[in-house]
Amino acid sequence: MTDLFLLGAGAFSPIEGFQGSKEVWSVARDFRLNSGLLWSIPLLLLAGEEAQAWKEGSPVLLLDEESRPVGVLHLEEKFSLSKPEYAELIFRTRDDKHPGVGWLYGAGDVALAGKVSVFPGWRPHAYDGYSSIPEETRKEIRQRGWSRVAGFQTRNPIHRAHEYVLKVALEVSDGILIHPLVGETKSDDIPADVRLRCYEALIRNYFVPERTLLALYPTWMRYAGPREAIFHALVRKNYGCSHFIVGRDHAGVGKYYGPFEAQEIFRQFPPEELGIEPIFFDQVFFCRVCGGMASNKTCAHGAHARVELSGTEVRAMLQKGILPPPEFSRAEVAQILVDSMKAPQNGSPQPSKRS
């Protein structure tokens, strides 16, 4: 239900509801809303056989996973979706092993379209104390007097490469918005509450708090690669960002996308149309010869000098209680991850459901 929440909060402005067939295919094929404005991923509400009884022109009460009323869909259209064609356009694959395609194929076959009304006070996540709607974040940015704000999308714990990227962006910005996605991700991803503790530890020990804002992006990961990079940027514009950091393999999964395709897609659209300026970063690593963090653009030394670990290698170390080397991760962050793997997970807040 996170898409419903963000629609009501204005995170997907100018969209005010789940999209109809004409607009869905316009976005999928041409990156355009019916108005002609740029948009990259349709907002779908897929239902099962129960939708057959709902009449177009009538309101539909929306319930959360605990059957509590959370909003109303003002049903304007019901239509069927050619899922293989849609998957090819949005995810660039029809392979159901891709998590986004797997979700699509497993969802209902009836698409529902119409504007939505969200009941006041409803928030579909368990992380109180953090800003999660655009109005709150924009207000905080105004109060801090920032005009040039770089947004950072993440679904992983922050390591040294992320820290380097953020600090470089800070050198040319008034402030940064660390904006982790806290909805549903892959089952082997680190839980959101653990990641939040990592972000807090890093900010507390290595960043200027007055230049750093931590807020939430409560939605699910689509893993749509280049399209989702554009989607993330457009949404962060609504949260008050003027710039958006795009690194290696943004919103990627497996081998479905090239490592820098998420940067290349931005070149298809002029900055004035995007309304937010991307900041591109190459692959970042620690170089033993340089004696610090570097990238392919700044380091002339080969792979032998680099400290690089895969996600699989890091998880294996953490599960054994071994801290990754300090060139890869700050000790404070690594310790939180090690402790989380020792602790029972059944008490952690569960990710919000999709749609």
Side-chain angles (χ1 to χ4, degrees):
M1 300 302 290
T2 55
D3 281 357
L4 173 65
F5 170 71
L6 291 178
L7 277 167
F12 298 143
S13 178
I15 300 171
E16 298 179 325
F18 293 103
Q19 293 167 288
S21 55
K22 180 182 177 182
E23 190 160 84
V24 163
W25 289 113
S26 178
V27 170
R29 292 170 180 150
D30 302 318
F31 287 79
R32 300 291 163 188
L33 301 175
N34 289 338
S35 64
L37 292 174
L38 173 66
W39 198 260
S40 62
I41 297 181
L43 298 176
L44 288 174
L45 180 59
L46 297 175
E49 294 182 357
E50 69 276 9
Q52 300 298 336
W54 301 337
K55 295 181 179 180
E56 295 172 354
S58 300
V60 177
L61 183 66
L62 300 175
L63 309 177
D64 66 9
E65 58 269 21
E66 298 177 2
S67 299
R68 296 175 299 189
V70 294
V72 173
L73 169 70
H74 305 280
L75 185 60
E76 298 170 6
E77 182 188 5
K78 296 190 296 184
F79 61 98
S80 59
L81 187 72
S82 174
K83 290 185 176 182
E85 180 184 359
Y86 181 89
E88 187 70 41
L89 288 167
I90 301 301
F91 303 108
R92 303 241 303 273
T93 180
R94 302 185 181 197
D95 183 2
D96 63 3
K97 293 183 177 60
H98 182 289
V101 177
W103 161 79
L104 178 68
Y105 289 171
D109 294 324
V110 181
L112 308 176
K115 292 184 178 181
V116 298
S117 300
V118 178
F119 295 158
W122 172 63
R123 299 196 179 199
H125 56 83
Y127 306 107
D128 294 331
Y130 297 93
S131 171
S132 61
I133 65 174
E135 182 181 3
E136 294 172 345
T137 307
R138 292 196 305 267
K139 180 180 179 181
E140 181 66 25
I141 288 171
R142 287 195 304 270
Q143 289 176 342
R144 295 185 181 207
W146 297 352
S147 59
R148 186 180 173 100
V149 184
F152 180 69
Q153 150 77 28
T154 174
R155 70 176 191 267
N156 295 308
I158 286 183
H159 50 67
R160 291 292 300 277
H162 296 146
E163 180 185 341
Y164 173 84
V165 165
L166 287 166
K167 288 183 174 178
V168 171
L170 253 177
E171 291 290 357
V172 294
S173 304
D174 299 319
I176 52 171
L177 172 63
I178 299 176
H179 209 211
L181 183 148
V182 296
E184 189 174 357
T185 60
K186 295 192 287 85
S187 59
D188 60 347
D189 282 341
I190 300 296
D193 63 314
V194 176
R195 289 188 280 118
L196 285 170
R197 294 202 299 274
C198 293
Y199 307 144
E200 289 173 336
L202 196 76
I203 294 169
R204 184 168 56 248
N205 291 288
Y206 299 101
F207 282 81
V208 178
E210 293 78 15
R211 296 287 178 182
T212 313
L213 176 59
L214 175 61
L216 304 185
Y217 179 42
T219 191
W220 56 289
M221 195 70 200
R222 291 156 170 86
Y223 300 100
R227 275 187 182 263
E228 193 161 6
I230 295 289
F231 183 79
H232 285 162
L234 294 174
V235 170
R236 271 30 182 256
K237 176 175 60 176
N238 289 327
Y239 276 88
C241 294
S242 62
H243 292 71
F244 183 65
I245 296 169
V246 185
R248 183 180 182 276
D249 198 29
H250 187 109
V253 63
K255 302 295 183 181
Y256 292 101
Y257 316 107
F260 294 103
E261 284 190 70
Q263 296 182 2
E264 293 163 6
I265 193 173
F266 278 86
R267 307 187 199 282
Q268 298 179 25
F269 309 103
E272 60 270 18
E273 186 172 37
L274 283 164
I276 187 169
E277 186 175 342
I279 306 174
F280 299 140
F281 282 91
D282 207 324
Q283 183 175 1
V284 174
F285 46 81
F286 186 94
C287 174
R288 296 187 181 93
V289 178
C290 293
M293 304 302 297
S295 75
N296 290 323
K297 292 181 178 179
T298 60
C299 175
H301 308 107
H304 68 280
R306 301 176 181 179
V307 178
E308 295 181 284
L309 296 172
S310 70
T312 300
E313 291 172 322
V314 173
R315 280 191 293 272
M317 295 176 70
L318 295 173
Q319 288 168 352
K320 295 177 182 178
I322 302 173
L323 298 184
E327 297 88 352
F328 179 84
S329 177
R330 295 291 188 182
E332 298 92 334
V333 172
Q335 190 63 57
I336 291 170
L337 295 174
V338 167
D339 293 343
S340 74
M341 294 200 171
K342 296 177 182 177
Q345 296 298 311
N346 57 4
S348 299
Q350 296 301 305
S352 303
K353 299 299 181 182
R354 302 169 181 174
S355 82

